[in-house]
Amino acid sequence: MLNDLPVIDAVVHAFNFTGANFRNQYGSVFADRITRASMLGPEGFVLDGHDEYRRNWSIDDAARVAFAESQTDLAAYHVLPIMAFRDGACSIEKAVRAKQKWPHRFAFYIGVDAMSGAAALDEMDRQFDMLEGDAVGVKLYPNSWLADEITGWKMDNPEIAFPIFEKARKMGLKAVAIHKALPLGQVELDHYRVDDIDRAAIEFPELNFEIVHGGMAFVEETMFQIRRFPNVYVNLESTSSLLTIRPAQWERVMAQFMQSDGMRKKILWGTGGLMVIHPRAGLEAFQRFRFRQETIEGEGIAQISDDDRRDMLANNFVRMTGIDMAARLAACENDEFSQARRQAGGMLPPFSTAPTASSPQDPAVVKA
């Protein structure tokens, strides 16, 4: 809880950035990029050195950092289809382990490479079955790293994208989360624009589309989308890191996204922890955030309110996915994370629960 407000982190990660997990040359490039970004966090919330990030994070690490070291109550784990890694970077096996241990704490997104064609549809079935149907969405990337050359696709492509959406609709999934606005290395920017989401939102009104990293680029285009389409949301993964490293940019982005009551109900709190930003760092900065008076007057917007925070931190995700937050929170009251915080008299220090790179890890977790 953040000042008695429930917190749902719309994206948490348990990356496997070990060299053994690289499928091709792009794995190292991707791991280095995320590692460098992670080391830009505020003092006290950054690990000591490159090697501390470049390892196989277990789902247990992610859970402890989120639920014992921060105010986060629930979190969405995205299975990642970044096939520059043998396990996609965040594996389905880690999702299964999380479901077995903490089904009340996690919501799950399956993840597939849309450019793998019919195999992607089969993979959706496989992951859905492994989670025993306990999934709320599907995670996609606009690039594919399966071949020697990086290829890309768009959300309005009826041959590549629409079969994925139709499958998601038939499976009863609520959300399609698409990585946008943050190009991953030397790739065409065109695939990271948001314009192609328009047609997807029109053709599949039963699905909700999350612009993951919304606001890192294409702010005005994203603003118009969440204003026009009832089924388009902004996921603040990575964007929330601007709170601590570029606060003026954060304020400009949020001034665009919060221009009306309806738009304020389309924003999902997300950190990308435990690597993109430590979840506690983002939440504490968000708790302090207020629009400056000149921004309020210049943009013609209202000051952020407790109701706005309540919506962004949890209620918007609940409306989008339909999860039973009350039941989940009740199940959290005496679980291992709540007990650990009570015994410690509060949140545990940042990264104190995660092993160092040289620490021994459970072989079963490493294998996952």
Side-chain angles (χ1 to χ4, degrees):
M1 295 277 185
L2 185 70
N3 277 3
D4 297 323
L5 300 179
V7 176
I8 302 176
D9 194 326
V11 186
V12 296
H13 292 126
F15 286 116
N16 182 352
F17 280 168
T18 60
N21 198 37
F22 298 161
R23 185 188 298 271
N24 54 38
Q25 70 269 29
Y26 302 117
S28 180
V29 173
F30 185 94
D32 281 337
R33 182 180 180 87
I34 298 298
T35 295
R36 289 196 301 270
S38 300
M39 296 177 72
L40 296 175
E43 185 177 355
F45 292 96
V46 180
L47 287 169
D48 184 20
H50 184 273
D51 290 342
E52 295 298 321
Y53 289 100
R54 284 283 296 268
R55 53 190 169 100
N56 184 8
W57 295 91
S58 72
I59 192 63
D60 300 62
D61 296 331
R64 287 189 294 262
V65 169
F67 307 131
E69 296 181 8
S70 89
Q71 303 91 335
T72 303
D73 298 295
L74 314 176
Y77 176 82
H78 290 197
V79 175
L80 299 189
I82 306 173
M83 302 319 296
F85 300 92
R86 299 185 188 280
D87 66 356
C90 288
S91 71
I92 179 63
E93 288 79 11
K94 291 175 182 177
V96 171
R97 181 177 176 89
K99 173 179 168 53
Q100 293 169 345
K101 296 190 69 174
W102 315 288
H104 57 295
R105 289 280 189 176
F106 283 98
F108 300 102
Y109 286 61
I110 58 178
V112 296
D113 185 327
M115 295 201 71
S116 61
L121 304 182
D122 292 340
E123 181 64 11
M124 289 176 73
D125 280 329
R126 185 182 79 90
Q127 293 182 20
F128 192 75
D129 289 344
M130 289 179 70
L131 291 169
E132 299 177 328
D134 187 12
V136 298
V138 58
K139 176 65 173 285
L140 304 169
Y141 282 79
N143 283 133
S144 174
W145 293 267
L146 281 169
D148 290 337
E149 181 180 357
I150 301 173
T151 53
W153 60 279
K154 293 188 176 183
M155 294 281 282
D156 56 5
N157 187 308
E159 285 77 34
I160 295 175
F162 286 11
I164 299 287
F165 305 154
E166 182 60 36
K167 180 76 169 179
R169 178 164 61 184
K170 290 181 178 178
M171 296 172 78
L173 301 180
K174 301 296 185 182
V176 175
I178 175 69
H179 179 116
K180 288 285 189 178
L182 195 62
L184 296 172
Q186 296 180 354
V187 295
E188 294 179 69
L189 184 62
D190 193 37
H191 298 121
Y192 291 81
R193 298 183 185 277
V194 299
D195 313 52
D196 53 324
I197 296 173
D198 287 3
R199 176 51 55 185
I202 292 168
E203 294 291 336
F204 296 88
E206 304 93 338
L207 294 174
N208 297 304
F209 293 89
E210 291 179 58
I211 305 173
V212 181
H213 311 294
M216 292 297 286
F218 316 119
V219 178
E220 288 192 350
E221 294 90 335
T222 303
M223 177 268 290
F224 282 123
Q225 280 185 322
I226 63 174
R227 170 178 282 176
R228 289 181 298 144
F229 295 107
N231 59 333
V232 177
Y233 290 75
V234 171
N235 184 320
L236 294 177
E237 182 199 346
S238 294
T239 312
S240 61
S241 68
L242 299 175
L243 271 160
T244 59
I245 61 175
R246 296 177 182 170
Q249 183 177 347
W250 162 266
E251 186 177 30
R252 288 194 297 270
V253 170
M254 295 308 290
Q256 292 291 305
F257 288 172
M258 298 181 66
Q259 292 185 12
S260 70
D261 289 342
M263 294 168 67
R264 293 176 185 222
K265 296 185 183 299
K266 309 296 288 301
I267 303 169
L268 310 174
W269 175 257
T271 66
L274 45 76
M275 281 194 63
V276 176
I277 182 175
H278 190 286
R280 180 175 170 184
L283 284 166
E284 292 183 348
F286 186 56
Q287 181 180 0
R288 296 188 300 268
F289 171 70
R290 299 288 188 278
F291 286 116
R292 294 173 299 159
Q293 188 60 34
E294 53 263 43
T295 299
I296 291 173
E297 294 173 359
E299 297 291 343
I301 59 174
Q303 181 61 271
I304 185 171
S305 67
D306 286 345
D307 285 341
D308 294 329
R309 294 184 204 277
R310 183 176 293 106
D311 282 338
M312 286 184 271
L313 289 172
N315 288 350
N316 295 342
F317 188 88
V318 170
R319 278 190 287 266
M320 185 185 73
T321 61
I323 67 168
D324 187 340
M325 183 170 64
R328 287 170 174 262
L329 292 176
C332 295
E333 290 180 356
N334 201 40
D335 70 2
E336 63 187 271
F337 307 111
S338 295
Q339 291 184 37
R341 289 176 58 169
R342 280 197 293 269
Q343 291 170 5
M347 289 175 288
L348 281 67
F351 291 119
S352 64
T353 65
T356 64
S358 59
S359 299
Q361 296 185 29
D362 179 350
V365 176
V366 174
K367 183 178 180 181

